């Protein structure tokens, strides 16, 4: 059995699969919203670990129903939101809160980075992970820091007691050179504290065995292997089962993420486009700030479920909305000052709701067009994961606007991470 842990924006999800990739058990626990004060979203890593612990406890109960327990888990992998980063001390205790993936506006840091970075570096911009790290390492709390850890890195470190490791996917937005397999030489000139940076390994490489503290706390096996993890978007892609060039996956969660399996990598920081290396493949894509978080400004989940029955996918509203939860966009336009468009608002809630959904669909369409224009493999089909995949009317709206075959994927990012764990275990054997 293999365990995947997905640390998202709104909650932590965990899934157990067997060697045939059949889902055996799953659970999820909510996370409190990030702290928005004063200007940048932050979150305490302790709340991630609390939710992970609750998921493991719940899984232990579920697995007893089919005569198993957590000691039967052979391998574990973790994914987290891409770009969420914190600093921790030698004992893996966080010395700072984590800047979230959508924290932006670090302009002074961005100006410094622009003096050294290559034109196509994903470290450019006031919302880059490197800009967040520069702000963190200059904070008074950073004096006791030993490790710069992405969200998935820190959870994996808690499970193993091993810090200072990351994966190629999370490290990419921090500025890691994927083609030279090293941190850029200009980092030192910029003033990056190189001793904080993790050793970068491929997704699915072994990190280490479960720590004795977690064996005692959760009943995991001391022989259970923890794999090097990935980002939440890539885990969603793996969970969908897409495997051929041209197949794409859109994740409709709190934010919108698009991933396209391409025969070659494409990169354009000005549009937030990047390419991940994953199991010998290239995943071209980007992540927008639009999505469910933007919709929740106006409607509760219950109200959206009611309005879904009133949508008319065959008749578009003609609105030109660009739904965002706040000022700032990452993809397909990378602009921290990009303003949302939510007006004029119709007095009819259903019409307004449909207009917002159409706006998100246009952002998705423009994202895939951006990838294709840069030379990525043409989109042949789109699978959809995340909470938005259950809205059938929205699926039809998206199909009309994007003009591609679109289907729902019932698999989750947690299942995608479980597949990473399975591959790690298989390769190790």
């Amino acid at each position: 059995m293999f365990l995947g842990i997905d640390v998202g924006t709104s909650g932590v999800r965990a899934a157990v699969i067997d060697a045939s990739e059949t889902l055996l058990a799953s659970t999820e626990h909510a996370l409190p919203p990030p702290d928005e004060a004063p200007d940048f979203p932050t979150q305490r890593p302790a709340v991630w670990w609390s939710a992970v612990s609750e998921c493991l406890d719940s899984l232990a109960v579920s697995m007893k129903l089919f005569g198993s327990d957590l000691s039967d888990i052979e391998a574990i992998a973790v994914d987290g939101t891409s770009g969420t980063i914190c600093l921790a001390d030698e004992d893996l205790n966080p010395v700072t809160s984590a800047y979230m993936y959508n924290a932006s506006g670090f302009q002074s840091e961005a100006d410094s980075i622009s003096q050294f970075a290559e034109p196509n570096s994903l470290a450019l911009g006031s919302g880059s992970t490197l800009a967040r790290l520069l702000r963190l390492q200059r904070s008074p709390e950073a004096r006791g820091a030993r490790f710069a850890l992405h969200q998935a890195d820190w959870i994996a470190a808690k499970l193993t007691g091993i810090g200072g490791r990351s994966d190629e996917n999370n490290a990419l937005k921090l500025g890691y050179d994927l083609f030279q397999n090293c941190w850029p030489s200009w980092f030192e000139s910029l003033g990056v504290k190189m001793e904080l940076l993790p050793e970068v390994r491929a997704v699915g490489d072994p990190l280490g065995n479960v720590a004795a503290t977690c064996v005692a706390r959760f009943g995991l096996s001391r022989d259970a292997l923890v794999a090097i993890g990935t980002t939440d978007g890539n885990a969603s892609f793996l969970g969908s089962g897409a495997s051929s060039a041209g197949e794409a996956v859109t994740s409709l969660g709190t934010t919108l993420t698009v991933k396209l399996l391409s025969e070659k990598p494409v990169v354009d920081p000005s549009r937030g486009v990047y390419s991940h290396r994953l199991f010998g493949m290239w995943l071209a894509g980007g992540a927008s700030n639009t999505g469910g978080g933007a919709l929740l400004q106006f409607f509760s989940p219950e109200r959206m479920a009611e309005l879904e029955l009133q949508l008319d996918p065959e008749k578009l509203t003609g609105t030109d909305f660009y739904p965002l939860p706040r000022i700032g966009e990452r993809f397909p336009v990378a602009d921290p000052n990009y303003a949302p468009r939510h007006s004029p608002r119709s007095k009819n809630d259903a019409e307004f709701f449909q207009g917002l959904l159409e706006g998100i669909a246009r952002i998705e369409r423009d994202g895939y067009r951006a990838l294709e224009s840069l030379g990525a493999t043409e989109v042949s089909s789109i699978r959809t994961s995340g909470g938005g995949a259950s809205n059938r009317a929205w699926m039809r709206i998206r199909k009309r606007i994007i003009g591609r075959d679109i289907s729902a994927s019932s698999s989750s990012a947690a299942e995608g991470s479980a597949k990473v764990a399975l591959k790690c275990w298989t390769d190790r054997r």
Side-chain angles (χ1 to χ4, degrees):
M1 298 179 191
F2 307 91
L3 170 62
I5 299 171
D6 166 47
V7 187
T9 303
S10 60
V12 172
R13 299 156 189 87
V16 176
I17 64 172
D18 63 17
S20 67
E21 300 185 359
T22 300
L23 179 65
L24 302 177
S26 64
T27 189
E28 63 180 282
H29 284 269
L31 286 171
D35 182 1
E36 300 285 347
D39 298 310
F40 312 106
T42 62
Q43 202 164 46
R44 292 182 301 106
V47 305
W48 309 336
W49 184 244
S50 177
V52 168
S53 299
E54 290 175 345
C55 282
L56 292 176
D57 290 339
S58 294
L59 281 178
V61 174
S62 299
M63 292 173 70
K64 285 181 179 179
L65 298 177
F66 52 89
S68 188
D69 57 43
L70 292 179
S71 67
D72 294 320
I73 300 294
E74 300 281 1
I76 304 168
V78 185
D79 73 78
T81 51
S82 176
T84 298
I85 192 167
C86 68
L87 299 181
D89 64 18
E90 186 72 38
D91 296 322
L92 302 176
N93 299 309
V95 297
T96 67
S97 287
Y99 278 124
M100 299 299 289
Y101 62 91
N102 56 346
S104 187
F106 303 103
Q107 195 56 53
S108 62
E109 290 81 4
D111 291 342
S112 297
I113 294 169
S114 67
Q115 297 178 36
F116 300 96
E118 298 293 330
N120 66 344
S121 173
L122 289 175
L124 290 166
S126 63
S128 75
T129 312
L130 182 58
R132 294 178 204 127
L133 175 60
L134 290 177
R135 181 67 63 92
L136 284 172
Q137 73 175 34
R138 292 169 183 163
S139 66
E141 297 82 6
R143 293 172 186 166
R146 172 63 184 86
F147 302 115
L149 297 168
H150 298 96
Q151 193 172 44
D153 305 339
W154 187 74
I155 295 298
K158 289 285 287 183
L159 288 168
T160 59
I162 301 172
R165 306 287 189 277
S166 190
D167 62 273
E168 291 179 336
N169 299 164
N170 273 296
L172 184 65
K173 290 187 180 180
L174 187 52
Y176 185 74
D177 189 328
L178 196 58
F179 300 97
Q180 298 298 320
N181 294 316
C182 64
W183 294 108
S185 57
W186 53 264
F187 267 35
E188 291 191 71
S189 301
L190 176 62
V192 176
K193 294 183 178 179
M194 303 299 289
E195 66 274 15
L196 296 177
L197 295 177
E199 174 188 332
V200 180
R201 298 181 180 178
V203 175
D205 279 1
L207 171 60
N209 293 104
V210 171
T213 52
C214 291
V215 172
R217 166 65 179 82
F218 301 112
L220 292 160
S221 167
R222 66 182 61 195
D223 296 321
L225 188 64
V226 177
I228 297 290
T230 184
T231 63
D232 55 345
N234 287 354
S236 291
F237 186 94
L238 291 171
S240 74
S243 60
S244 301
E247 292 183 325
V249 174
T250 297
S251 178
L252 294 174
T254 303
T255 58
L256 167 75
T257 302
V258 304
K259 301 285 183 182
L260 169 63
L261 195 58
S262 176
E263 294 175 346
K264 69 175 187 178
V266 292
V267 178
D268 184 356
S270 71
R271 288 188 275 184
V273 173
Y274 50 88
S275 293
H276 285 297
R277 185 162 55 200
L278 185 65
F279 299 167
M281 305 181 291
W282 288 105
L283 271 184
S288 168
N289 286 335
T290 195
L295 299 174
L296 288 170
Q297 297 177 101
F298 304 102
F299 302 110
S300 67
E302 294 76 17
R303 181 57 175 155
M304 284 189 273
E306 294 173 357
L307 293 173
E308 180 183 348
L309 302 176
Q310 303 175 44
L311 301 180
D312 185 0
E314 308 311 316
K315 183 180 180 181
L316 300 184
T317 63
T319 53
D320 185 34
F321 297 150
Y322 199 107
L324 293 171
R326 65 182 68 83
I327 292 175
E329 177 60 303
R330 297 178 290 160
F331 168 84
V333 176
D335 182 355
N337 299 311
Y338 201 88
R341 296 194 302 272
H342 302 137
S343 61
R345 175 170 179 167
S346 169
K347 294 181 180 180
N348 183 300
D349 278 356
E351 184 177 345
F352 178 58
F353 181 46
Q354 179 164 330
L356 294 174
L357 296 180
E358 292 170 4
I360 296 174
R362 284 191 296 271
I363 296 169
E364 180 184 359
R365 176 200 64 194
D366 293 347
Y368 283 120
R369 285 180 176 176
L371 300 180
E372 292 173 338
S373 71
L374 292 167
T377 303
E378 183 178 354
V379 176
S380 59
S381 64
I382 300 173
R383 291 175 169 86
T384 308
S385 62
S390 62
N391 188 324
R392 295 183 181 180
W394 194 8
M395 295 277 282
R396 290 161 60 195
I397 290 170
R398 292 169 54 227
K399 186 173 183 178
R400 286 197 63 187
I401 290 175
I402 299 171
R404 292 289 192 279
D405 180 46
I406 297 176
S407 60
S409 170
S410 59
S411 298
S412 65
E415 290 174 70
S417 277
K419 291 180 181 181
V420 173
L422 170 57
K423 183 179 187 302
C424 179
W425 179 79
T426 302
D427 290 348
R428 187 70 175 267
R429 295 184 71 194

